[in-house]
Structure formats: C-alpha cells, structure tokens
Amino acid sequence: ANRQNKKKRKNMVRHNNEIPHQHFHKKWHQTKRGPLKVKTWFHQPAQKKQRRLKRALKAKAIAPRPLQRLRPAVMCPTQRYSSKMRLGRGFTLEELKEAGIAPAFAKTVGIAVDHRRVNKCQESLDRNVDRLKAYKEKLILFPRKGNKTKTGDSSAEARAAVDAVVSTGTIAPLSKPQEEVEFMDISDELVDFSAYATLRTTRNELKLKGIRVKMAKEAEEAKK
C-alpha cells in the first residue's frame, strides 16, 4: 500500500499547482450526444491573404484618397509604459481648434476625431497641433462633384500630380527619436543623494503639514 501511494505521489503535480485536466478523448465526428461543434481555424492564413487583397482593392478604388486616417501621437497608459509613444484613436476637439480645423470638416479629409480624449499637458497639445498643421499644408482637396471647384480646393496641377497615387500605409508614421547619451562627472552630492529617502521625507512632510500648522496655531493662541 505504501509503495502504491509513493508511485501516485510521484505522478502528481509538484508544489501547490492546479491538477491538470487534459481532455484528449473528444470524439469530433460522432458521440452519444451527437456530433460535437468543434471550431477550427485552419483557414487563418487564407483569410489573412484575403483581407490583404481586399485592402488593396479598396485602396485602388478610393485612390488618390488614402486608405488610413491621420492619427495623433499619444503616450501609453500606466506608469510602466508612460515613456513610450504610439498612435492614438483620434485628435481632441481642443487640438483641432488650435489647428484651425472644424471637427466636421476633419472627418471628411481623413483626420480621425475622438471627442472623449482630453489633453492633460501642453506638450501633447503642441505635438498634435504640429501634426495637424503639417498634414494641412500637404493636403490636396479634390472637388466633390466632377470638375466644379470651390474655394479651398487644390489647383488642377496639384491634383494631377497625385491622381494615380495609391496609399495603403500609415499616414505620418512616428519616427523613433535618437537620443544622445549625456556623460557627466559623479560628484559627492550625487553619491550621498538617496532618491528613496528624499521621496519618503517629502511625502511625510506633506502628510503632517496640516497637523503642524494646527499645532503652531494652537501654540500661538496659548501664548496669548
């Protein structure tokens, strides 16, 4: 009995882990309850190719209008990824206002608009306003109906230059900045400096600020 228990213990999972539940005896074709509805994804490579071909056909059909829209440059959420930049969902109403573009007009010229996003710093606002202004300078507007041009439409020469262009890639992709490494001499102050102790002291002073002000006020009233 002890030997059998030892063999069972050897086959069990080590440490405090979940006992595995492998279900490898499913009958795909026919069972007592009928055929099992097992979904497969064997056509995934073919679907990927089909989506790519559809994107190419759509880009060719709407040319010279770009397939994708202009997106803002935003910082990733959470403290872990907050130093990384990526393309966001759409430009804020404040960014469009600073760039002199109406939200309704922006949607018609390939600019993504997100009315829910809010600018929380001047840097992000300036960065995306510059993107909008650069896009606005390069923008070539075609007449909506035939050759009946209106105010704001581009010239015939500018339209003819991009008439056969098919755009499928990202508009104004983000370029990775190449930051130079700065070298400096390590002074005695840097060696003695402790970031953890400084933050802890500052946090403690901020926490006790109200109590200390109250105690000082009570001490002055007691002297009177």
Side-chain angles (χ1 to χ4, degrees), residues 64 138-142 153-165:
K138 298 178 182 179
L139 187 64
I140 298 174
L141 290 178
F142 282 71
D153 293 342
S154 302
S155 61
E157 293 81 6
R159 282 180 281 149
V162 296
D163 197 14
V165 175

Side-chain angles (χ1 to χ4, degrees), residues 1-181:
N2 292 333
R3 289 181 180 177
Q4 290 179 356
N5 291 334
K6 286 181 180 178
K7 287 182 180 180
K8 287 182 180 179
R9 288 174 186 173
K10 286 182 181 180
N11 295 331
M12 287 296 293
V13 180
R14 296 188 67 186
H15 309 297
N16 188 21
N17 297 326
E18 183 185 1
I19 298 173
H21 307 285
Q22 287 107 356
H23 304 282
F24 295 144
H25 294 282
K26 288 183 179 179
K27 306 296 187 296
W28 284 23
H29 301 291
Q30 191 67 32
T31 62
K32 293 178 182 178
R33 295 176 286 118
L36 293 177
K37 296 179 180 179
V38 180
K39 284 192 175 183
T40 59
W41 192 238
F42 300 134
H43 65 300
Q44 191 270 339
Q47 290 293 319
K48 181 181 178 181
K49 183 180 179 181
Q50 191 175 0
R51 287 193 298 269
R52 179 173 57 82
L53 294 175
K54 282 185 177 180
R55 284 196 300 269
L57 287 174
K58 185 180 179 181
K60 192 175 181 180
I62 65 174
R65 184 190 303 172
L67 184 64
Q68 300 187 24
R69 291 184 290 176
L70 181 69
R71 304 282 180 179
V74 299
M75 307 304 293
C76 295
T78 69
Q79 187 177 4
R80 182 177 182 180
Y81 302 105
S82 60
S83 61
K84 294 187 177 182
M85 190 183 297
R86 64 172 176 86
L87 293 176
R89 183 183 180 87
F91 291 90
T92 62
L93 301 179
E94 188 178 359
E95 290 167 353
L96 294 169
K97 186 178 180 181
E98 289 288 329
I101 302 173
F105 175 73
K107 294 178 181 179
T108 62
V109 292
I111 300 174
V113 181
D114 186 5
H115 66 277
R116 294 168 294 185
R117 191 167 68 85
V118 181
N119 293 102
K120 295 187 178 180
C121 67
Q122 190 66 30
E123 294 177 358
S124 67
L125 178 66
D126 296 339
R127 187 192 308 120
N128 289 319
V129 168
D130 293 339
R131 281 177 67 84
L132 286 169
K133 288 181 178 178
Y135 181 77
K136 192 177 178 181
E137 290 177 0
K138 298 178 182 179
L139 187 64
I140 298 174
L141 290 178
F142 282 71
R144 296 184 67 181
K145 293 183 179 179
N147 294 323
K148 295 180 181 180
T149 58
K150 293 183 178 181
T151 54
D153 293 342
S154 302
S155 61
E157 293 81 6
R159 282 180 281 149
V162 296
D163 197 14
V165 175
V166 179
S167 176
T168 57
T170 305
I171 301 174
L174 298 177
S175 58
K176 191 174 182 180
Q178 296 180 354
E179 298 179 358
E180 295 183 358
V181 180

